[in-house]
Amino acid sequence: MVLGPGQVIRSDDYHTAGEPFRIVDAGPMEGETVLDRRSWAIENLDDLRRFLVAEPRGHAGMYGGFVVPADEGGDLGVVFFHNAGFSTACGHGTIALATWAIDTGLITARGPSASLVVDVPSGRLTIEATLADDRVISVRFTNVPAFATATNLEIDTSVGPVAIDVAFGGAFYASLAVDELPISVSAEDLGTLISVSREIQAATTDATVARHLDNRLSGVYGTIFHETVGDDPLHQLNVTVFADGQVDRSPCGSGTSARLALLYDAGLIAIGEEFRHDGIAGGRFSARVEEVNPDGVVTSVEGSAYRHATTSFYLDSRDPLREGFLLR
């Protein structure tokens, strides 16, 4: 059982460009690093993850994070969770978490900006928040180095053969341009997009193009379906499908970093040039390549998060559904 009689779990809920992020302090976790604590959470907190994600408390698109101590020198850490487990990176969640940290006074902020360091399973992120009237207006995080691993990799799918590109932005993503395909980035095509994403993930299981030096970061996490807005290659509309057919309402922060790595490798974007990445719910991330080093492309991504709920969760011992259920 997740909760005993009289026990309560509190969450602060935000959304970033329409994508939810449920922030919870689940108490101490074992491990020397945030990545270690993620491994511990996989083994010990999966029932709590299901409790917080599943209906009637959540839904198949719910996302969240457990607040944990930072690695040495950081301000705070986070272990991300979704409908199928625990992810290694989450840009929209990072934006929400930084906003929450300032909103709650965990990080003291005075003046027009504030800086903080957040440790996530994929590494250390430096963050700059822009404020007005002591409120967070936007958050820009500088991500771990991103890098491309494959281009024009052909996959057979239910919509025909497609060519995907693979890149790492804290997690590995397959990118698929839909401009010339019989599908689009739209709510009407979500069912097909989810099916194709599952086909791509199945076809890339254990693929060498998605192997990381730390195997805990390996594997294709999701598929970024993207199309060009107008004729500007640096303005794209996308929807990312990840985990168990989960749809990212935001433009996907770590996926945006992966897209930048591919754009840079293709010679389509220069250092410091703006990339506008729109999500299916209408939100936008502004991103750029900050520098290039031997580890890859260092990117930054900016967006805004908004608090919409503070909730206390209980579990009635008589409840036959207990940890909940997921319907689509």
Side-chain angles (χ1 to χ4, degrees):
M1 181 181 292
V2 176
L3 296 176
Q7 289 185 312
V8 180
I9 289 179
R10 170 180 162 144
S11 78
D12 288 325
D13 285 14
Y14 283 69
H15 81 84
T16 307
E19 178 72 355
F21 194 69
R22 178 160 284 169
I23 301 170
V24 175
D25 184 349
M29 298 184 195
E30 295 180 10
E32 295 298 319
T33 67
V34 170
L35 184 57
D36 292 339
R37 294 183 186 105
R38 172 182 177 264
S39 298
W40 186 88
I42 290 171
E43 298 297 325
N44 295 276
L45 293 181
D46 200 55
D47 56 348
L48 180 56
R49 175 195 64 79
R50 293 194 302 270
F51 177 83
L52 292 166
V53 167
E55 299 178 54
R57 295 164 292 274
H59 50 80
M62 179 55 67
Y63 211 112
F66 295 128
V67 180
V68 299
D71 299 347
E72 185 177 356
D75 291 304
L76 72 159
V78 57
V79 172
F80 301 116
F81 58 82
H82 50 66
N83 75 2
F86 297 85
S87 58
T88 60
C90 177
H92 91 272
T94 298
I95 291 168
L97 186 73
T99 305
W100 167 84
I102 295 171
D103 283 349
T104 59
L106 182 65
I107 299 296
T108 301
R110 296 185 179 88
S113 65
S115 300
L116 60 153
V117 174
V118 174
D119 290 317
V120 306
S122 58
R124 171 156 288 181
L125 311 183
T126 58
I127 293 171
E128 191 76 16
T130 299
L131 290 83
D133 298 324
D134 298 322
R135 300 292 304 276
V136 178
I137 301 301
S138 66
V139 169
R140 180 176 289 273
F141 69 90
T142 300
N143 203 1
V144 299
F147 51 88
T149 58
T151 56
N152 293 314
L153 183 63
E154 189 166 297
I155 304 289
D156 288 324
T157 73
S158 54
V159 297
V162 300
I164 65 168
D165 303 325
V166 180
F168 180 82
F172 284 99
Y173 292 91
S175 282
L176 175 56
V178 301
D179 304 75
E180 306 300 327
L181 295 176
I183 49 177
S184 64
V185 177
S186 65
E188 292 76 14
D189 283 342
L190 277 181
T192 302
L193 295 172
I194 290 170
S195 296
V196 172
S197 176
R198 284 175 166 153
E199 292 163 0
I200 290 172
Q201 284 184 293
T204 55
T205 300
D206 298 324
T208 57
V209 295
R211 287 183 186 166
H212 196 277
L213 290 176
D214 189 321
N215 197 50
R216 291 175 292 182
L217 302 178
S218 295
V220 173
Y221 173 54
T223 301
I224 305 170
F225 298 92
H226 60 92
E227 58 187 44
T228 302
V229 178
D231 58 0
D232 183 358
L234 299 187
H235 186 191
Q236 295 180 356
L237 171 66
N238 93 95
V239 63
T240 301
V241 181
F242 63 96
D244 183 16
Q246 188 162 340
V247 176
D248 196 332
R249 278 75 171 159
S250 82
C252 186
S254 53
T256 297
S257 291
R259 293 291 307 131
L260 282 169
L262 290 164
L263 288 167
Y264 185 82
D265 275 16
L268 294 174
I269 192 168
I271 294 174
E273 199 168 5
E274 183 186 28
F275 175 52
R276 292 171 293 166
H277 215 198
D278 296 344
I280 196 169
R284 174 177 293 177
F285 289 163
S286 174
R288 59 181 179 250
V289 175
E290 299 290 352
E291 63 176 89
V292 180
N293 65 33
D295 294 322
V297 177
V298 177
T299 68
S300 69
V301 181
E302 183 175 23
S304 300
Y306 305 92
R307 188 173 187 163
H308 62 84
T310 297
T311 307
S312 295
F313 293 108
Y314 304 82
L315 178 59
D316 190 325
S317 60
R318 303 164 298 171
D319 187 347
L321 297 177
R322 296 188 180 276
E323 291 177 11
F325 57 92
L326 291 176
L327 295 178
R328 299 183 185 281

